[in-house]
Amino acid sequence: MKNRVLLITALFVGVIAFAQNRNDVVLYGNDNLNGTARFQSMSGAFGALGGDMSAININPAGSAVFTNTLFTISAANYHVKNDTRYFNGDSNTDFSNLRLNQIGGALVFNNGNTNSPWKKFTMAFNYELSNNYENEYYAIGDGNTSIAQYFLNNANGFAVGDLEPINNETITDAYVNIGYDLGYSAQQGFLGYQNYIIDPATMDNPDETNYISNAKFSNGIGQEQLVVTSGFNSKYTLNFASQYSDNIYLGFGLNFHSLERTKNTQFDEYGYDSDSKLQYVQFDNELFTYGNGFSFNIGGIAKLNNIVRVGASYQSPTWYTMTDELFQRINTDYYADPNDANTTYSEATPNSTIVFPDYKIQIPGKYTGSAAFIFGQSGLLSVDYSYQDMSNAKIKPTTDPYFAEENRAMEELFQGVSTVRVGGEYRIKNLSLRGGYRYEGSPYKDEFTMGELNGYSLGIGYNFGPTKLDLGFSQAFRDYNVSLYDTGLTSTAAIDNKNTNVTLSFTFNM
């Protein structure tokens, strides 16, 4: 069949339902601990410290702490482990990938006018991997609800005649035209009906709007779902900062975000009763998401005395413009007569990619307060507290019925997220030993879909004078409960997630 690309119009009501929802908003609003090795090894507690390229993401005034022009480059190995439980099944996935996760530099201009209170100006540029979407989990077990319920929920209410090819249409043509005329739910009902997963409640009635399942099972049904995601969320920062007098640092940053994510969901169902007409279902979805965003941040740092520093910063909302593309595959094994060995192998798969209309996501702003204690040349201790109210997240246009419902759900189900980061550094001449801890609350009020995050970090660094070499290790733990689908088959897989980063950074002083 000829491949076709389908551009869905604004009248395609509800088509976006498979694509972005509240869980994706949380994903795009959640920045992992990334950046330089020193930043990671102290769990990112740099709001009142500055003096590190990644610190400008927390407080843009941090670049004014630099005493000289410099350049830093970092690479990280990301290791993800997921232990997944689904009904009576257990599985685990374990993989790693290496990325260049930070590169940037700062230009420091000292003010030659000794009578001016403005001591110096700094301009910095930094690229950083805000989020690495490389992830994978595998749910396997004997479920109590068939995938047929997903197709039933989507098909009910649509007449049989609307879910059939007409006028010698191919499966692809019918899939495309049903999407244009009736929307995404009708498309899904069409796939279930054409692949013998569901049938009309009364046969030979083109006006029938109710459907029944062809899946028959007694004591659970075998199910497997493999979800593999890849991609990244990158941030490019243009930073300006200045030192006023001897004790005040002020900064401003412009942030440009670039996002690419692929989510491949592979589902298999089997183990039906021997007299079931339906014996096997495979249903795969590939969702591609592309987006660009913008945000800004402002902040300041004040030296109260030779030991104590305090900082405050504001991260604006991040405004994303997004595009989704979806490709679906489906095939089944169906026995018209369970007592007959002849099997119908159905693969009524449309050879078409759905390109959804552009939409927008607004991630709420964040406030951060910081304090640091400097113990001369011996070391330091730093703590940051951040607050972000995720109930203010929005998917736009808000006039879209599905987005309006998701926005109402986020207002009811989401809450403010508190984040605490603590880091310390102990120096022995040119050698630095580091450690840190971080805590992040759940954006969900019930803490079921996503639990609290706890993480720790360690690191070491050596100052060679013209160059610095830093190595950082961080590990974080979080629990998730993920529904297989948004409707029908909403059984959840419980995931224990562990993320481990090892980062190496080189800094060149100029």
Side-chain angles (χ1 to χ4, degrees):
M1 290 180 289
K2 182 181 179 180
N3 183 65
R4 297 181 62 179
V5 176
L6 172 61
L7 178 62
I8 308 300
T9 68
L11 297 177
F12 199 175
V13 178
V15 72
I16 207 76
F18 184 86
Q20 305 308 321
N21 56 35
R22 71 200 73 154
N23 298 328
D24 296 293
V25 172
V26 169
L27 175 68
Y28 300 139
N30 181 32
D31 290 343
N32 289 336
L33 181 64
N34 284 293
T36 68
R38 185 177 181 229
F39 183 84
Q40 291 193 48
S41 62
M42 292 174 58
S43 290
F46 270 83
L49 286 176
D52 185 275
M53 286 308 305
S54 292
I56 64 177
N57 292 316
I58 304 295
N59 190 336
S63 64
V65 177
F66 290 127
T67 57
N68 57 270
T69 296
L70 62 109
F71 174 82
T72 301
I73 185 170
S74 306
N77 182 73
Y78 295 90
H79 183 268
V80 181
K81 182 178 181 182
N82 290 312
D83 294 324
T84 305
R85 300 176 304 282
Y86 182 69
F87 288 96
N88 60 338
D90 294 287
S91 65
N92 62 76
T93 55
D94 194 347
F95 64 97
S96 301
N97 70 308
L98 182 66
R99 283 185 179 272
L100 177 69
N101 74 311
Q102 181 275 326
I103 183 169
L107 299 173
V108 179
F109 304 95
N110 292 306
N111 191 351
N113 183 358
T114 57
N115 295 322
S116 173
W118 298 98
K119 301 296 183 181
K120 61 185 173 185
F121 298 90
T122 304
M123 183 174 68
F125 173 81
N126 191 52
Y127 158 81
E128 196 158 297
L129 189 68
S130 298
N131 208 329
N132 177 29
Y133 294 134
E134 304 290 335
N135 199 1
E136 176 180 317
Y137 67 85
Y138 178 55
I140 181 171
D142 295 331
N144 58 13
T145 305
S146 171
I147 185 65
Q149 192 62 51
Y150 167 82
F151 294 104
L152 284 174
N153 283 16
N154 281 289
N156 282 330
F158 293 103
V160 173
D162 291 331
L163 303 185
E164 294 179 330
I166 59 174
N167 300 327
N168 297 318
E169 288 179 323
T170 65
I171 289 295
T172 296
D173 290 337
Y175 178 81
V176 169
N177 292 330
I178 288 171
Y180 269 120
D181 296 336
L182 300 175
Y184 179 79
S185 291
Q187 276 185 323
Q188 303 310 289
F190 168 79
L191 292 178
Y193 176 38
Q194 294 301 318
N195 284 279
Y196 305 101
I197 301 171
I198 60 175
D199 272 332
T202 57
M203 301 301 291
D204 301 321
N205 179 7
D207 296 323
E208 176 64 70
T209 59
N210 294 309
Y211 298 81
I212 59 173
S213 168
N214 284 324
K216 185 178 179 181
F217 59 98
S218 303
N219 299 311
I221 187 168
Q223 294 175 330
E224 300 178 25
Q225 187 183 69
L226 174 65
V227 178
V228 180
T229 60
S230 60
F232 57 87
N233 189 345
S234 297
K235 180 163 66 174
Y236 303 84
T237 298
L238 184 60
N239 171 270
F240 305 91
S242 182
Q243 179 183 350
Y244 181 82
S245 187
D246 293 326
N247 302 317
I248 302 295
Y249 304 88
L250 302 172
F252 174 76
L254 302 173
N255 307 304
F256 305 90
H257 306 258
S258 177
L259 185 152
E260 291 186 16
R261 178 173 175 249
T262 300
K263 182 179 181 181
N264 192 330
T265 303
Q266 303 173 23
F267 178 85
D268 293 89
E269 185 172 277
Y270 48 84
Y272 304 88
D273 292 348
S274 59
D275 60 345
S276 174
K277 293 182 178 181
L278 188 66
Q279 285 295 318
Y280 174 72
V281 176
Q282 180 184 20
F283 184 41
D284 298 340
N285 290 266
E286 291 183 76
L287 177 65
F288 306 91
T289 301
Y290 312 90
N292 293 288
F294 172 77
S295 66
F296 67 88
N297 56 350
I298 57 175
I301 298 173
K303 290 183 180 180
L304 302 185
N305 52 49
N306 290 333
I307 296 178
V308 181
R309 296 183 187 181
V310 294
S313 61
Y314 169 69
Q315 168 70 53
S316 78
T318 303
W319 298 278
Y320 285 106
T321 298
M322 314 281 272
T323 299
D324 288 335
E325 299 178 6
L326 176 65
F327 186 82
Q328 299 184 295
R329 300 184 188 91
I330 186 169
N331 68 79
T332 60
D333 292 354
Y334 174 81
Y335 290 77
D337 181 355
N339 297 316
D340 189 340
N342 293 321
T343 306
T344 298
Y345 298 98
S346 176
E347 191 173 0
T349 292
N351 194 14
S352 177
T353 299
I354 304 174
V355 181
F356 298 109
D358 288 352
Y359 61 97
K360 299 180 185 296
I361 291 180
Q362 179 178 314
I363 305 299
K366 182 184 295 186
Y367 300 87
T368 300
S370 312
F373 305 89
I374 314 298
F375 307 109
Q377 297 299 314
S378 298
L380 57 88
L381 180 66
S382 180
V383 59
D384 288 0
Y385 171 80
S386 298
Y387 182 81
Q388 182 182 35
D389 190 352
M390 286 301 297
S391 66
N392 291 328
K394 292 287 185 293
I395 312 179
K396 301 177 180 179
T398 56
T399 53
D400 180 278
Y402 175 76
F403 288 163
E405 179 59 32
E406 285 297 292
N407 289 333
R408 284 191 293 269
M410 288 189 289
E411 290 177 3
E412 295 175 3
L413 302 177
F414 285 2
Q415 64 180 354
V417 177
S418 293
T419 301
V420 178
R421 298 181 178 185
V422 181
E425 182 177 68
Y426 179 69
R427 301 190 186 104
I428 307 171
K429 296 184 178 179
N430 291 346
L431 180 69
S432 296
L433 304 176
R434 302 167 183 133
Y437 167 79
R438 65 184 173 121
Y439 162 86
E440 183 178 307
S442 171
Y444 295 86
K445 291 180 180 178
D446 61 8
E447 299 184 1
F448 178 75
T449 303
M450 177 187 293
E452 298 173 342
L453 179 145
N454 285 277
Y456 69 94
S457 57
L458 299 168
I460 189 171
Y462 194 86
N463 188 345
F464 294 93
T467 62
K468 295 179 182 178
L469 178 63
D470 296 295
L471 180 66
F473 169 91
S474 66
Q475 193 166 81
F477 305 85
R478 192 164 223 164
D479 296 336
Y480 299 85
N481 287 279
V482 182
S483 297
L484 269 62
Y485 295 91
D486 287 342
T487 184
L489 181 51
T490 57
S491 303
T492 58
I495 303 171
D496 295 331
N497 171 260
K498 180 171 72 173
N499 276 283
T500 304
N501 297 351
V502 178
T503 304
L504 184 67
S505 296
F506 291 93
T507 298
F508 305 89
N509 294 306
M510 302 176 187

